[in-house]
Amino acid sequence: MHRFAVWAPHAGRVDLVTDPKGTRDSQPLVRSEGGWWRHDGPWAEHGTDYGFEVDGGPLTPDPRSAWQPDGVHGPSRVFDPEQHTWHDQAWRGTRCGKGLLGGVIYELHVGTFTYEGTLDAAIEHLDHLAGLGADVVELMPVAAFDGQWGWGYDGVHPYAVHDAYGGPEALQRFVDACHTRGLAVGLDVVYNHLGPSGNYLARFGPYFTDDHQTPWGQGLNLDGEGNMAVRRWLVDNALRWFRDFHLDVLRLDAVHELRDDSPTHVLAQLADETRILSHALERPLELVAESDLNDPRTVEPSAKDGLGMDAQWSDDLHHALHAALTGERQGYYADFGPLPVVAQCLTRVFRHDGGWSSFRGADWGNPVDPAAHDGRRFLGYLQTHDQIGNRALGERIGALLTPGQQAIGAALVMTSAFTPMIFMGEEWAASTPWQYFTDFPDPALGAAVRDGRRLEFAEHGWTAEQVPDPQDRSTHDRSVLRWDEMRHGDHARMLDWYHALISLRRKASVLTDGHLADVSVDLDEDAGWLCVRRGDLRVVANFAEHAQQVPMDAEPMDAVAVWDPATTTLHESTVELGPHAVAVVRVAAA
């Protein structure tokens, strides 16, 4: 059941219109406190179509619409979250019952995870994820956006689930199915902007403000006139995913663009309210931030002037591994590449921790104290949707490296003190690219997106013909995973390697303790080898194209995971590795 209400502080009249495509019943709402307008009639039932007319204007969807079955421009539909019968009453978090920290996260995009591109179709592959050893399935944004397919970051209805994915009922079924398999579920949510088509919030009130600017235009109004209602719109959205959809984790997109000069930052407010709800629901509820600030304050407690996030993405480790393995140095990779930078990121998280960032042209970041910060509060990864899809051709790391090089990167991520994350298909070195695709029905908007993409890469030497057209259906179709390939050749070999690494991580407690201060790295930059020490384990990686022997600090040794057994030999005080090879060995206790 649903009670209609909408915030429109400057309106002189607001009308509720139900069944707008049928009998069309229009009723005036009653002005209430705080700029709210409310309906004092009977409660609405699940499935009722409705919209609002502000001061006699056009029918407009609800800013808190949970269901947009006719697209982002059509009427809203009442969704009753209680209509679903849940089967996860015993669910108390991930398999270990301790939340996401130290577990394995699997990022996936619903629209390209399967050929059907729906949440129900994705359920058919959950046994694969559980068997792989994933702990958290992180969905890229599912908020309703204009068109059938897209990345999801152009969403305009943050409360609604994209209808092409199956709508809100399908998300409940998906979460329920994950929990029955021991998988927690995370959701990528975007609060820093709305997309360019279907954003009607300005018809209701000052949701955005000129006082703060972002790469997408006006910033969210978190500290100006009317900010309390806007903050509640954001915080209520987050809490609703936890409460009504049983989600476990929210990944907050680009939080550095949530500009807030209030005494209490909206993220700290969200963190505090999330902890209260977590206590009430008796299960872990966690927040993961994407932040470009390289500031450990993001994951420090709100009670100590932090933002209270449970974890944050760490692009610096990705950049360090990518640059070292591929040799790329353009753009933001300019300050990465040497093996000492890889070592720095593995032990101190950030490459830019207060020093000069050539890409930004400024000093950047703040240091992480390895003795005071839990490494598990930082996500480590070899690739993400951003790092693949924002390339001109959307090449995955497997298209840029030898299998051995990818194996090195995977081993360093999976044995790190970080919380590791995999992008869908990475575990079998999927052959499919993951490209930038959109489906805007407005031809002018589609052309603008296409031209903007081509102009961006023209500055890096790409011709228009080389850059895939985001609006072309084939760009989307090329990005859909091919599930049958993982059973063959190098794909099967890579899948076995990820299985071995995740299994080792699960068995070896030293790999999940998050103690950054206990991680040390030996390396020879000229020779091209690196050895990470974690307790009694050594991760020995040969980045070079020739075989070599890596000196060890202890013996005897026992191999526990080897990428290329045919070229790997344990000697008395060295490990012999073939080209682009990696091994995890256990040394005798001192």
Side-chain angles (χ1 to χ4, degrees):
M1 303 292 284
H2 179 78
R3 179 74 77 177
F4 294 112
V6 68
W7 182 66
H10 304 309
R13 176 187 176 96
V14 179
D15 292 299
L16 166 69
V17 179
T18 55
D19 194 17
K21 296 182 295 181
T23 59
R24 183 181 169 83
D25 178 39
S26 179
Q27 303 177 50
L29 297 182
V30 178
R31 184 188 290 274
S32 183
E33 69 286 346
W36 282 87
W37 296 77
R38 304 184 187 278
H39 182 239
D40 57 5
W43 289 64
E45 295 183 354
H46 176 82
T48 302
D49 287 345
Y50 71 101
F52 299 109
E53 293 177 345
V54 180
D55 290 329
L59 185 76
T60 306
D62 188 348
R64 294 181 176 228
S65 173
W67 198 354
Q68 290 294 127
D70 295 313
V72 299
H73 308 289
S76 301
R77 179 170 292 172
V78 172
F79 172 71
D80 179 6
E82 299 300 323
Q83 51 78 40
H84 179 76
T85 301
W86 289 93
H87 303 88
D88 66 349
Q89 289 81 2
W91 177 254
R92 292 296 179 268
T94 54
R95 301 178 213 207
C96 61
K98 299 178 181 178
L100 71 86
L101 298 187
V104 177
I105 301 174
Y106 191 97
E107 185 190 25
L108 71 84
H109 174 264
V110 175
T112 50
F113 189 59
T114 65
Y115 174 80
E116 298 84 356
T118 65
L119 287 156
D120 286 328
I123 291 175
E124 299 176 12
H125 296 286
L126 292 181
D127 289 338
H128 164 77
L129 303 187
L132 178 67
D135 296 290
V136 182
V137 180
E138 181 182 302
L139 300 175
M140 287 178 60
V142 301
F145 57 86
D146 201 11
Q148 287 292 107
W149 55 84
W151 279 20
Y153 296 94
D154 286 325
V156 290
H157 287 285
Y159 280 74
V161 178
H162 191 50
D163 206 60
Y165 293 164
E169 294 172 328
L171 180 59
Q172 288 184 317
R173 291 192 295 270
F174 179 84
V175 174
D176 213 357
C178 285
H179 286 174
T180 60
R181 291 165 172 81
L183 297 166
V185 186
L187 178 63
D188 195 338
V189 291
V190 183
Y191 297 132
N192 48 53
H193 75 287
L194 295 187
S197 180
N199 174 11
Y200 299 114
L201 291 183
R203 293 182 182 176
F204 293 95
Y207 281 87
F208 291 87
T209 174
D210 287 325
D211 292 342
H212 300 298
Q213 294 297 314
T214 75
W216 311 281
Q218 291 179 311
L220 196 65
N221 176 22
L222 299 171
D223 51 17
E225 180 184 357
N227 75 83
M228 294 303 294
V230 178
R231 293 167 76 98
R232 283 261 51 98
W233 175 79
L234 185 159
V235 173
D236 288 350
N237 176 271
L239 300 181
R240 169 181 172 273
W241 294 120
F242 290 134
R243 183 186 62 249
D244 295 346
F245 291 85
H246 293 203
L247 286 161
D248 305 282
V249 182
L250 293 182
R251 183 261 192 191
L252 309 177
D253 181 68
V255 298
H256 50 276
E257 297 297 350
L258 290 172
R259 313 293 175 81
D260 183 5
D261 295 330
S262 305
T264 299
H265 195 283
V266 69
L267 292 179
Q269 176 186 344
L270 174 58
D272 291 343
E273 294 195 33
T274 297
R275 278 192 293 273
I276 293 171
L277 182 60
S278 175
H279 179 75
L281 297 179
E282 298 182 330
R283 59 184 177 88
L285 304 177
E286 294 168 298
L287 301 169
V288 178
E290 179 198 25
S291 174
D292 184 51
L293 301 180
N294 280 24
D295 190 346
R297 176 174 174 258
T298 302
V299 296
E300 291 170 352
S302 58
K304 297 183 178 180
D305 198 35
L307 296 181
M309 300 293 99
D310 295 285
Q312 73 169 83
W313 282 32
S314 178
D315 275 353
D316 281 21
L317 178 60
H318 167 272
H319 296 349
L321 291 173
H322 184 97
L325 291 165
T326 66
E328 293 183 0
R329 299 292 187 276
Q330 74 277 14
Y332 46 66
Y333 294 129
D335 294 335
F336 297 87
L339 291 186
V341 174
V342 175
Q344 176 181 341
C345 293
L346 286 170
T347 56
R348 300 199 301 277
V349 183
F350 298 139
R351 161 68 176 89
H352 296 122
D353 57 2
W356 182 255
S357 167
S358 62
F359 175 70
R360 300 177 177 92
D363 289 337
W364 202 261
N366 286 298
V368 170
D369 180 356
H373 289 92
D374 187 336
R376 297 173 301 177
R377 295 196 179 278
F378 302 92
L379 269 60
Y381 33 82
L382 187 58
Q383 50 190 341
T384 70
H385 73 273
D386 265 333
Q387 306 304 337
I388 302 170
N390 285 326
R391 299 177 66 86
L393 301 181
E395 309 103 317
R396 291 172 175 270
I397 199 72
L400 305 173
L401 304 176
T402 67
Q405 288 174 309
Q406 180 174 343
I408 290 172
L412 292 175
V413 168
M414 286 297 166
T415 61
S416 72
F418 297 73
T419 292
M421 185 174 74
I422 300 168
F423 182 68
M424 63 177 196
E426 174 188 333
E427 71 272 26
W428 74 78
S431 66
T432 49
W434 202 75
Q435 299 179 330
Y436 181 67
F437 47 85
T438 56
D439 181 40
F440 292 116
D442 180 353
L445 179 56
V449 171
R450 179 189 307 114
D451 294 344
R453 181 81 172 173
R454 289 174 173 172
L455 179 62
E456 175 187 357
F457 286 102
E459 299 173 357
H460 301 285
W462 295 87
T463 66
E465 293 73 22
Q466 291 174 310
V467 180
D469 178 0
Q471 285 283 110
D472 191 322
R473 173 65 187 264
S474 65
T475 305
H476 164 273
D477 292 350
R478 278 192 297 271
S479 303
V480 177
L481 286 176
R482 299 172 186 165
W483 283 87
D484 59 335
E485 68 181 8
M486 70 176 176
R487 293 186 288 270
H488 308 290
D490 284 340
H491 299 299
R493 184 185 181 200
M494 189 63 70
L495 181 58
D496 287 343
W497 180 240
Y498 274 78
H499 269 290
L501 292 173
I502 296 173
S503 176
L504 173 63
R505 184 177 181 87
R506 194 174 296 280
K507 294 174 183 176
S509 60
V510 69
L511 295 182
T512 56
D513 61 22
H515 295 164
L516 284 167
D518 295 337
V519 181
S520 61
V521 181
D522 299 322
L523 61 88
D524 186 325
E525 185 174 4
D526 293 333
W529 62 260
L530 176 148
C531 177
V532 182
R533 291 186 286 185
R534 297 203 64 191
D536 62 346
L537 295 180
R538 306 290 183 267
V539 186
V540 193
N542 179 17
F543 287 73
E545 296 181 354
H546 56 82
Q548 60 178 316
Q549 293 193 18
V550 178
M552 298 297 292
D553 64 323
E555 53 89 18
M557 297 174 286
D558 178 39
V560 293
V562 178
W563 166 251
D564 192 356
T567 62
T568 301
T569 306
L570 305 187
H571 300 287
E572 184 174 344
S573 58
T574 64
V575 174
E576 183 176 353
L577 293 173
H580 298 164
V582 59
V584 182
V585 301
R586 179 172 283 109
V587 300

